[in-house]
Amino acid sequence: MTVWSTPAYDDHELVVHHRDHSSGLHAIVAIHARHERRGAGGCRMRAYASEEEALADVLRLSRAMSYKAAIAGVAAGGAKSVIVGDPRHDKSEQLLRAMGRLIESLGGAYVSAPDAGIDVDDLRVMCQETRYVLGADRVAGPSAPYTAMGVLAAIRSAVRHRLGADELAGVRVALQGVGSVGRELARLLAEAGASIVVADVDDDRARGAARDYGAEVASTDEILLADVDVVAPNAYGGVLDVDTIPRLRAAIVCGAANNQLAEDGHAVLLHERGILYVPDYVANAGGMIAGLEELGAFDRAVTEQRVRGIGGKVDELLTRAEAEGAPPAAIANRAATATIEAWRSSRARTVSA
Ligand code: NAI
């Protein structure tokens, strides 16, 4: 399979496939669309089963970042990178520094940040080789708390629309994955009085959330299908598919994981079942918003206000979706692609002027 024929290719501006033999780094950087001269998006490390799987993941994630940036209105387009390898066994200083050099070599066209398998400590190592990394504790700090703050705002809005409740007290939420974002989301939900159930392939993390936030622990096989009001996927993408969607019992799906839908068309299946799916890239933009605020004069209070503003965006989106009788994802996709087109044509005008 070539890059161009990959279904997720979708008009990417740049795809770089890199191997560094001395460190063993095997990475792909994908820039879907630049805005303000850059594409921004995290770096993920995962033990992909094949090169095709890694390529499909980075392309889908990169496009999702463009959609996220377009809806959030930040000073960047969308990009992403993946490192092929198991973050528990294959990570080394040499490998992270090689990744930093790869990012630096792109001259700022790609700005990186943390993602699953790559945390703030790893970013600090990459920072020894590159200036183009956000969220490495320099100003805004780690992105996960902002992402969780934005997802909470999105859940509040969805609960108001779908369940008619202004408060989260007593609302039952299932969290798939309690890593950097999921654990913080569990904390915020517990603070708001929600009743939570968690599952994580890492037992210690699930038990830690249960101990600290009074959560129930469920099995990782059952968590998406839990009898709750809201399901929040916070692990990997592709979890909403033809197998899981018919069996969901929640009224709302709203979480942090990127690309929760196995295929774009699955938004229609959720809509037909009367399940309110908040597009992941709308709900999970908090980390990106905070990261990019670092490029200006960072003010924490202003940043937090912008991140909480995700709730207002979700309100608008759901109101339009209700008026049109369409899945919210269809409305959001339309708005995002129009903005990306506008970036591209304004760049084309600048270049030809
Ligand atoms: P993380 O790696 O810290 O947490 C992921 C957690 O999910 C881990 O605890 C892992 O053990 C668990 N997990 C993996 N497979 C699972 C399964 N099948 N069932 C239950 N648990 C499972 O990653 P992080 O940073 O919390 O990100 C989570 C998701 O949110 C990812 O999809 C990421 O792309 C997305 N995201 C993260 C942002 C951030 O600011 N960190 C921003 C926007 C999206």
Side-chain angles (χ1 to χ4, degrees):
M1 191 198 285
T2 70
V3 174
W4 289 355
S5 64
T6 303
Y9 174 62
D10 188 34
D11 253 353
H12 265 72
E13 286 184 16
L14 187 75
V15 181
V16 177
H17 198 142
H18 180 69
R19 262 186 191 282
D20 175 69
H21 292 284
S22 62
S23 64
L25 175 68
H26 180 187
I28 310 174
V29 178
I31 301 176
H32 178 256
R34 275 173 296 164
H35 173 51
E36 307 271 343
R37 296 187 303 280
R38 57 189 155 239
C43 175
R44 169 174 292 189
M45 182 162 185
R46 189 171 182 185
Y48 293 100
S50 65
E51 196 168 316
E52 281 79 12
E53 191 182 276
L55 180 62
D57 202 32
V58 76
L59 292 175
R60 287 197 77 213
L61 287 163
S62 163
R63 187 188 71 160
M65 292 306 288
S66 277
Y67 281 26
K68 190 182 309 196
I71 298 287
V74 296
K80 202 84 185 183
S81 61
V82 293
I83 298 177
V84 180
D86 185 332
R88 287 168 302 181
H89 309 298
D90 301 331
K91 211 186 271 177
S92 66
E93 179 176 348
Q94 255 187 323
L95 178 128
L96 292 168
R97 289 184 77 136
M99 187 66 198
R101 288 194 294 278
L102 169 61
I103 295 168
E104 184 66 21
S105 72
L106 298 172
Y110 169 54
V111 182
S112 195
D115 195 74
I118 292 291
D119 62 21
V120 173
D121 291 335
D122 301 327
L123 283 194
R124 287 198 193 108
V125 178
M126 289 184 201
C127 273
Q128 295 175 41
E129 305 284 351
T130 180
R131 296 159 282 175
Y132 304 116
V133 160
L134 296 169
D137 244 348
R138 291 208 274 225
V139 187
S143 61
Y146 294 102
T147 303
M149 193 184 291
V151 173
L152 183 81
I155 290 177
R156 281 188 186 283
S157 170
V159 163
R160 234 182 349 262
H161 277 259
R162 185 68 174 72
L163 307 177
D166 283 329
E167 297 299 330
L168 293 180
V171 171
R172 297 162 305 152
V173 186
L175 290 95
Q176 181 190 44
V178 274
S180 309
V181 179
R183 184 178 159 83
E184 178 62 11
L185 182 60
R187 186 182 74 76
L188 296 173
L189 286 164
E191 246 175 44
S195 136
I196 54 182
V197 42
V198 301
D200 198 297
V201 287
D202 181 330
D203 281 344
D204 290 344
R205 289 187 176 177
R207 278 200 297 270
R211 181 191 61 231
D212 298 342
Y213 309 126
E216 245 180 76
V217 176
S219 86
T220 51
D221 295 338
E222 294 295 320
I223 189 74
L224 283 179
L225 315 175
D227 185 11
V228 290
D229 301 305
V230 184
V231 160
N234 307 299
Y236 287 114
V239 294
L240 302 172
D241 60 18
V242 288
D243 173 47
T244 54
I245 292 172
R247 296 188 295 143
L248 290 175
R249 289 195 280 174
I252 295 166
V253 179
C254 179
N258 285 309
N259 292 332
Q260 291 164 34
L261 300 173
E263 290 174 22
D264 289 353
H266 290 155
V268 176
L269 300 182
L270 287 158
H271 185 64
E272 286 170 354
R273 281 213 54 212
I275 297 169
L276 172 50
Y277 167 64
V278 179
D280 41 27
Y281 60 82
V282 179
N284 70 12
M288 187 185 216
I289 292 171
L292 288 158
E293 291 271 305
E294 282 195 5
L295 298 172
F298 181 78
D299 177 325
R300 189 168 299 277
V302 172
T303 299
E304 290 189 5
Q305 199 180 1
R306 284 204 68 197
V307 172
R308 290 203 183 91
I310 288 173
K313 285 193 190 289
V314 174
D315 268 335
E316 255 172 59
L317 173 65
L318 299 186
T319 304
R320 276 178 61 192
E322 280 155 20
E324 292 190 29
I331 311 281
N333 288 354
R334 205 167 63 206
T337 45
T339 301
I340 293 165
E341 269 317 304
W343 294 341
R344 287 181 167 152
S345 34
S346 103
R347 274 240 316 287
R349 278 198 303 276
T350 317
V351 170
S352 63

